[in-house]
Amino acid sequence: MDDKRPILIVHGGAHPKPAPREAGSHAPTPGATSDGLVRACEAGWKVLESDGSALDAVCEAIRVLEDDERFNAGRGSVLTRAGTVQMDACVSCGATRRAAGVGAIENVRHPVDAARIVMDQSTHALLVGRDATDFVRHRGVELRNLDWFVTEERSRQLEAFSETDPASAPASAFAETVGALALDSAGHLAAGTSTGGILGSLCGRVGDSAVPGVACWADDETCALVVTGDGDPVLRSGFAARVDALVRSGTVLREACRQAWSVVAAIGGRGASIALSPRGEVVVVCEAATLEWAAATASGVETRISDQR
């Protein structure tokens, strides 16, 4: 792809390959959410084709996914062991290298908006819990009651999870984070993530999706990157920062992502990542996972399913 030709990438979350039928697992049939990904692409593309910023396009696309209850983000998020909804999100701007996230927030319709507010209206990189929710509430973010977020499917999943060994922990459960990447007409990159976290997690858990430089990062000199999958191993690996450092040292983007997944796999993690280079190259790498994603360009929107490393 030529320089400065806009592109938008969205994904709806990875799931294990082969997808185990575990109690409470949520492994959608490939292609089942393609229409939602297309709608998200169309919304974000409207921003890019009007010469809007990559960051605005990313946020617009993720808002669509957060309102679609089939995805584990916003409405339709998985439930904690207490039956609550606690969400994480992050945004990153490649032009400025500014990035910020929110963790374990509640009642916010669009967590990606909360992350954007923290980035634009504070000096902090991460805010969590009730204080984070209060911070964005006072700055006009849209709130909804808990029952708006909780769907019948997610309630059934929690019930099935609760019937398993109560001492078990979902340490290797997929968070199925949604995410988006964009390159705008000015040549700037951006990335964003949003998730409801892990089914049956302890209240207060913050995963990789909230932390800049882990599952979400953008830098105009290296790449934009989003990650989905086993959040805790990804967080422990420092995934995006590792990829960024490898690219700066001269490693090609695909190999950098493969090396980062080798580290995650070594500590028991699986998942998938999508990276976008400053030239518009799209790199999808999967580690024992399948990822459905979509891309919007001037030629239209195309959906794909990837499962190869």
Side-chain angles (χ1 to χ4, degrees):
M1 178 171 294
D2 296 336
D3 289 341
K4 299 185 180 180
R5 184 178 296 178
I7 182 172
L8 175 73
I9 308 291
V10 302
H11 75 81
H15 61 272
K17 185 186 77 168
R21 307 309 296 176
E22 299 168 349
S25 68
H26 178 62
T29 302
T33 55
S34 294
D35 60 322
L37 297 177
V38 169
R39 286 197 303 273
C41 270
E42 290 173 342
W45 181 253
K46 288 180 180 178
V47 176
L48 292 180
E49 70 176 352
S50 301
D51 292 327
S53 74
L55 186 58
D56 286 343
V58 161
C59 292
E60 191 65 32
I62 291 177
R63 287 187 198 104
V64 174
L65 300 177
E66 289 173 335
D67 277 345
D68 189 328
E69 65 182 51
R70 295 172 296 176
F71 298 102
N72 179 21
R75 176 172 168 78
S77 291
V78 296
L79 305 181
T80 67
R81 293 190 189 190
T84 60
V85 173
Q86 295 192 332
M87 300 167 288
D88 299 343
C90 185
V91 292
S92 183
C93 176
T96 63
R97 295 176 182 162
R98 285 182 59 80
V102 289
I105 61 170
E106 300 181 2
N107 302 112
V108 176
R109 177 180 178 181
H110 293 128
V112 71
D113 288 346
R116 180 74 182 269
I117 288 172
V118 173
M119 187 180 78
D120 290 344
Q121 301 184 37
S122 83
T123 59
H124 301 311
L126 179 64
L127 290 179
V128 301
R130 290 184 179 179
D131 290 332
T133 304
D134 286 344
F135 180 83
V136 297
R137 176 174 61 84
H138 289 303
R139 285 156 179 79
V141 77
E142 184 175 356
L143 301 180
R144 292 296 176 96
N145 293 327
L146 176 62
D147 58 4
W148 186 85
F149 295 90
V150 179
T151 65
E152 291 183 5
E153 180 183 5
R154 298 306 192 188
S155 294
R156 287 195 297 268
Q157 289 173 4
L158 181 62
E159 182 178 356
F161 174 85
S162 299
E163 292 173 354
T164 62
D165 180 2
S168 66
S172 189
F174 269 41
E176 296 174 345
T177 308
V178 306
L181 304 166
L183 174 68
D184 60 31
S185 59
H188 298 309
L189 293 166
T193 52
S194 182
T195 185
I198 297 176
L199 173 67
S201 67
L202 297 174
C203 290
R205 173 192 179 266
V206 176
D208 60 319
S209 302
V211 184
V214 177
C216 177
W217 181 245
D219 189 318
D220 285 356
E221 293 184 357
T222 55
C223 68
L225 176 71
V226 290
V227 185
T228 174
D230 287 321
D232 293 291
V234 170
L235 178 55
R236 294 184 180 107
S237 76
F239 193 99
R242 186 180 298 272
V243 171
D244 184 271
L246 286 168
V247 172
R248 290 183 188 280
S249 71
T251 306
V252 298
L253 184 56
R254 180 172 295 277
E255 179 59 24
C257 292
R258 286 173 173 167
Q259 289 187 31
W261 276 115
S262 294
V263 175
V264 176
I267 55 177
R270 304 162 295 173
S273 60
I274 303 182
L276 183 61
S277 78
R279 299 180 304 279
E281 175 193 10
V282 180
V283 173
V284 182
V285 176
C286 299
E287 178 65 43
T290 300
L291 180 69
E292 186 173 5
W293 56 285
T297 65
S299 300
V301 178
E302 181 180 359
T303 59
R304 300 181 185 180
I305 297 174
S306 299
D307 62 4
Q308 299 298 315
R309 192 171 188 207

